[in-house]
């Protein structure tokens, strides 16, 4: 009879196979319920036998919510970028240069899809995943193995027995269009910034230090290049077919050709067909197939001579403008939206596009019924880039920008120096009221996670809340209503009460002052230290803060000079919200780094990067992500990227290590 340890190994093997069938082959052979039952059995047995722990077990795909700093790892083989081409003549020039480089020797070209994601390098030893590293600067990358293990299309344990003992395979981590759209819909509801495109979303996800979050995002992966001392074939195409047998997800959009005409046929086919793919692509990659010939052709300083990328032009489609509607944001900003006949664009069906403002509409002389050209180019928000005026109907009416708020009827205003129109009725316009409350409870503000947009809308309709201060008057009985929601009502009231401990700088952000974002709120809170000083700040005082311009300063003054807002602030103070920096913050704040702009780079031993960022801000300095002539110095840890080092040397920017930096703060 099979013992429990043998059963663990059997379950692991079965679940690896079912994962591959579902996520790579798209041909599952068991139901989701049956899969879950096997997984639960394995989880139970592993809990009974902790000595059987295996990082590559299928149970580890869920990730961990423990944070850990990424370590930088040197690539065994540098990850170079490809040279780009944008037309068929440039492809022909590359083809001719290969033929000259091989001195007339016959060669094959492998044509592949160029997936638009995050480059990854995976190392396997004895058929098991041991490391996943991002491209980084091409020489060093971040070790993201824990996150890679959550991606179900990446095999943790290989199939078959003919794979090399050790090898590296490279590919692209992607976020499928469906997942991307769902994620952005969730972020829009939570009033969080939208990801611009699936590439940014995949990159941000893979670099998260919470692997449980990565697991929830359902990333995908396509692999496209095999490296090692013992790869099975000389042919690149043939190596990838072998990798497919071992369990890797290899694109079906691959073809091995010999002539330029065959390359053009491949490009022309996929320029249209890519619109039907489940993931984003931005071009075609052409590679000389023979690795022997690749070595003969060699590299330039930046890219291989044996490969090139052909970039597709941004997708553009023609469709009809049906109407223009107007939306009201939480700050009162009016956004015109083009509603169009649906058209497929960059992997999704598009029927709406932002029109930005009145000036944008006038620049195109838009008329209702116009045929417009729409581009997405990988970006989430489609945009109108042209109008087919030749197709305009003689009786078409020009688009008129509204004069009054579509929600409350208040005449719109346009502030000096701004392109947008605003509804000034911030105390009585429903979308503004609800929007400000949703902003107030959001994660980066008061973080009242027991509430959400639907709950806010419900409370507003029931008359329980009309501004953010009303939240602190709500009791369990009001929420409970018919008596069926006492448990959830208690959770909500407790969550609201807990928000009173949120630090002052987040309270400033939560107020929803127009133009004041998270970073600006920190600057204001740390400069003025309490709400009274901030409320009474003059234009001169505000504009003397580095990072606060005149337009934002006027917005701050307007907010605090509005009677309704003054009442709300006083009510929040009365409920016990923090209206000043804590004694600990005040005691530890210094001006040691005042006026200094600092870049952090590398891996540190004594503190995390976030801790160093907080130290810089606490001592009056400013964090920035890129090196420029304005950079005061670089706080550098181990494995600082060579590109940053080179730029620092070029600009003469000082490099400071951990001990030197801590010495600055300790006097």
């Amino acid at each position: 009879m099979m013992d429990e340890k043998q059963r663990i190994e059997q379950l692991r093997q079965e679940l690896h196979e079912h994962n591959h069938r579902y996520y790579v082959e798209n041909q599952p052979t068991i139901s989701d319920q049956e899969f879950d039952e096997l997984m639960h059995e394995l989880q139970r047995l592993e809990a009974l036998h902790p000595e059987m722990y295996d990082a590559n077990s299928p149970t580890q795909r869920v990730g961990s919510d423990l944070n850990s700093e990424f370590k930088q790892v040197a690539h065994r083989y540098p990850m170079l970028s490809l040279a780009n081409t944008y037309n068929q003549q440039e492809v022909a020039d590359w083809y001719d240069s290969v033929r000259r480089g091989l001195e007339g020797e016959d060669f094959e070209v492998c044509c592949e899809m160029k997936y638009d994601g995050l480059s990854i390098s995976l190392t396997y030893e004895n058929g098991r995943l041991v490391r996943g590293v991002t491209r980084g600067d091409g020489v060093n990358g971040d070790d993201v193995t824990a996150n890679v293990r959550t991606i179900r299309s990446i095999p943790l344990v290989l199939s078959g027995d003919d794979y090399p003992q050790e090898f590296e395979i490279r590919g692209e981590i992607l976020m499928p269009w469906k997942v991307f759209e769902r994620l952005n819909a969730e972020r829009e509801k939570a009033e969080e910034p939208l990801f611009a495109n699936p590439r940014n979303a995949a990159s941000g996800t893979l670099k998260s230090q919470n692997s449980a979050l990565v697991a929830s995002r359902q990333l995908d992966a396509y692999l496209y290049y095999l490296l090692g001392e013992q790869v099975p074939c000389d042919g690149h195409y043939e190596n990838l077919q072998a990798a497919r047998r071992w369990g890797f997800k290899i694109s079906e959009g691959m073809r091995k050709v010999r002539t330029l005409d065959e390359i053009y046929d491949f490009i022309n086919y996929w320029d249209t067909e890519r619109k039907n793919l489940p993931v984003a692509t931005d071009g075609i990659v052409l590679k000389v197939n023979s690795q022997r010939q690749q070595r003969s052709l060699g590299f330039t300083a930046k890219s291989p001579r044996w490969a090139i990328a052909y970039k597709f032009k941004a997708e553009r489609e023609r469709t009809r403008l049906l109407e223009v509607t107007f939306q009201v944001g939480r700050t009162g900003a009016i956004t015109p939206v083009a509603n169009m006949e649906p058209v497929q664009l960059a992997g999704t069906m598009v029927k709406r596009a932002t029109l930005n403002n009145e000036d944008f509409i006038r620049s195109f002389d838009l008329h209702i019924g116009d045929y417009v050209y729409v581009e997405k180019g990988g970006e989430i928000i489609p945009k109108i880039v042209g109008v087919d005026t030749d197709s305009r109907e003689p009786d078409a009416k020009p688009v008129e920008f509204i004069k009054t708020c579509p929600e409350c009827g208040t005449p719109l205003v346009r502030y000096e120096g701004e392109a947008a129109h605003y509804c000034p009725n911030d105390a009585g316009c429903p979308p503004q009221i609800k929007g400000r409350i949703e902003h107030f409870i959001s994660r980066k503000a008061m973080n009242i996670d027991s509430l959400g947009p639907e709950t806010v809308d419900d409370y507003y309709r029931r008359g329980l809340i009309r501004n953010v201060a009303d939240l602190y008057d709500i009791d369990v009985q009001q929420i409970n209503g018919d008596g069926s929601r006492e448990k959830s009502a208690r959770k909500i009231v407790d969550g609201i009460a807990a928000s009173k401990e949120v630090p002052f700088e987040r309270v400033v952000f939560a107020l929803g002052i127009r133009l004041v974002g998270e970073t600006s709120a920190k600057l204001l809170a740390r400069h003025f230290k309490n709400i009274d000083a901030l409320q009474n700040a003059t234009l001169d005082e505000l504009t003397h803060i580095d990072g606060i311009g005149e337009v934002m300063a006027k917005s701050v003054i307007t907010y605090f000079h509005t009677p309704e807002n003054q009442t709300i602030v006083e009510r929040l103070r009365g409920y016990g919200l923090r209206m000043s920096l804590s004694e600990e913050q005040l005691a530890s704040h210094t001006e040691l780094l005042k006026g200094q702009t600092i870049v952090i780079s590398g891996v540190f031993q004594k503190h995390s990067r976030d801790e160093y960022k907080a130290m810089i801000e606490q001592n009056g300095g400013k964090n920035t992500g890129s090196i420029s002539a304005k950079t005061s110095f670089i706080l550098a840890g181990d494995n600082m990227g060579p590109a940053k080092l080179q730029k620092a040397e070029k600009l003469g920017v000082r490099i400071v290590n951990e001990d030197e930096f801590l010495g600055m703060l300790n006097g």
Side-chain angles (χ1 to χ4, degrees), residues 187-203:
R187 293 174 74 87
E188 188 171 21
K189 279 186 179 180
E191 279 220 343
E192 295 180 347
L194 301 187
F195 285 116
N197 50 50
R199 178 188 65 252
N200 288 6
S203 177

Side-chain angles (χ1 to χ4, degrees), residues 185 314 341 353 524 572:
E341 289 182 348
L524 293 169
L572 293 176

Side-chain angles (χ1 to χ4, degrees), residues 5 59 91 95 102 113 118 131 133 143 162 164 167 237 322 376 400 407 420 455 465 485 492 528 555 562 567 587-588:
K5 292 186 178 181
T59 59
V91 171
Y95 185 88
L102 294 175
M113 299 305 301
L118 180 73
R131 191 177 303 111
V133 182
D143 186 334
D162 61 337
F167 67 91
Y237 178 89
L322 302 176
K376 201 171 181 183
E400 296 287 346
E407 297 288 341
T455 316
I465 51 177
R485 296 179 283 186
I492 289 169
F528 292 104
S555 177
T562 302
T567 301
S588 60

